[in-house]
Amino acid sequence: MLPTVTAVRYVTPLREGGSLPGLVEADDLGTYVVKFRGAGQGPKALVAEVIVGELARRLGLPMPTLAVAAFAAELGRGEPDPEVQALLLASAGDNLGMDFLPGSFGFDPRAHRVDKELAARVLWLDAFVENVDRTWRNPNLLMWHNALWLIDHGASLYFHHNWPRADKAVLRPFKAEDHALSDYAAGLPAAAAELTPRITPALLDEVISLVPDGWLGDPAFATVEENRAAYRDHLLARAASPEAWLP
Ligand SMILES: Nc1ncnc2c1ncn2[C@@H]1O[C@H](COP(=O)(O)OP(=O)(O)O)[C@@H](O)[C@H]1O
Ligand SMILES: [Mg+2]
């Protein structure tokens, strides 16, 4: 399991992205960006955040700490915006917390230089997990203490929105033209040679096991364990054929 924290104060909504995450203070004195289960993207966005974020971390990519954030509906009482109120009410219980990086700001591909190897590894990750949400318009990368940090993997693993057809997506190519780090694609073969062999059944099982049961349970599966195994088998099969999907 991920560490669990309990929200003690809802501070403010963050409106840059589409899913209305909230800034929350928790009982460990930490401040978290919370992605809510009741958002329009649904719990699968949280599943993708956990699987991809924790995979990224284990592959050495810079990821803020993730936690399960328990949220009581009454914490949203003071929130004046009815849309946010409805979201908080629909999200009572377990949500996804990400350690808030204070003073961070959005990466700008035209202004910031990134280490070439790191950039290629991020591009490799996004191609592997089909993360279409790291474009130059919306990089979902932060600069913090002069270094690059990865956020927002909720749109990855697109195949999980249609399990009966997920097999057809195993070898789906990744289009890198709009990717925030596409200028660094020259490093992809080296990044792939380093990272693809690290995608093992054990690593995948480890990160998939971190997803709370309550966020799984797609009707295509009889049990949550079958659902977890389907993620592993899909990603393992994709890792076996990088030539099919690497840009
Ligand atoms: N860990 C973090 N630390 C600081 N700011 C963050 C963090 N995570 C997200 N943000 C800010 O909140 C915005 C929305 O978060 P994001 O995860 O991209 O959600 P969305 O799904 O709405 O796009 C980001 O663009 C960024 O400005
Ligand atoms: Mg975003």
Side-chain angles (χ1 to χ4, degrees):
M1 270 293 278
L2 290 172
T4 299
V5 299
T6 301
V8 295
R9 183 164 85 97
Y10 179 78
V11 183
T12 186
L14 294 169
R15 297 183 184 276
E16 289 90 344
S19 71
L20 276 180
L23 195 63
V24 160
E25 288 177 352
D27 60 343
D28 63 348
L29 302 185
T31 306
Y32 293 84
V33 173
V34 171
K35 296 279 192 97
F36 291 102
R37 221 184 49 248
Q41 290 77 357
K44 281 181 179 167
L46 276 50
V47 173
E49 292 270 10
V50 173
I51 294 177
V52 176
E54 293 299 330
L55 193 60
R57 183 193 320 290
R58 282 160 181 75
L59 296 174
L61 296 171
M63 261 297 299
T65 307
L66 297 180
V68 171
F71 192 88
E74 59 264 25
L75 291 177
R77 237 182 240 144
E79 171 55 42
D81 181 330
E83 186 194 358
V84 178
Q85 271 281 352
L87 171 62
L88 300 180
L89 277 175
S91 304
D94 286 348
N95 297 281
L96 181 74
M98 179 187 273
D99 188 28
F100 175 65
L101 307 180
S104 61
F105 54 94
F107 169 80
D108 179 348
R110 289 156 302 191
H112 299 120
R113 296 273 86 203
V114 192
D115 174 78
K116 273 189 202 150
E117 273 94 46
L118 172 60
R121 286 155 70 218
V122 175
L123 192 48
W124 174 91
L125 174 79
D126 290 335
F128 177 50
V129 301
E130 298 194 87
N131 182 14
V132 295
D133 210 6
R134 190 130 46 219
T135 63
W136 54 270
R137 284 179 213 88
N138 180 26
N140 285 311
L141 294 166
L142 297 180
M143 294 302 293
W144 187 58
H145 290 279
N146 219 12
L148 189 77
W149 291 79
L150 278 58
I151 60 163
D152 196 359
H153 300 106
S156 313
L157 310 181
Y158 197 73
F159 62 86
H160 68 171
H161 294 287
N162 189 351
W163 280 109
R165 292 183 58 83
D167 278 354
K168 304 237 173 352
V170 166
L171 302 179
R172 186 157 54 200
F174 183 76
K175 297 190 191 69
E177 295 92 76
D178 286 341
H179 194 278
L181 301 173
S182 60
D183 287 355
Y184 299 88
L188 265 178
E194 180 210 338
L195 296 176
T196 314
R198 293 176 63 183
I199 302 298
T200 59
L203 178 67
L204 291 170
D205 280 338
E206 183 183 331
V207 297
I208 294 164
S209 76
L210 297 171
V211 179
D213 280 355
W215 300 350
L216 294 164
D218 186 283
F221 304 101
T223 66
V224 163
E225 285 320 308
E226 272 180 36
N227 198 344
R228 289 186 203 277
Y231 280 102
R232 180 200 55 217
D233 294 346
H234 184 105
L235 291 171
L236 209 52
R238 187 164 172 85
S241 298
E243 65 289 347
W245 47 266
L246 267 181

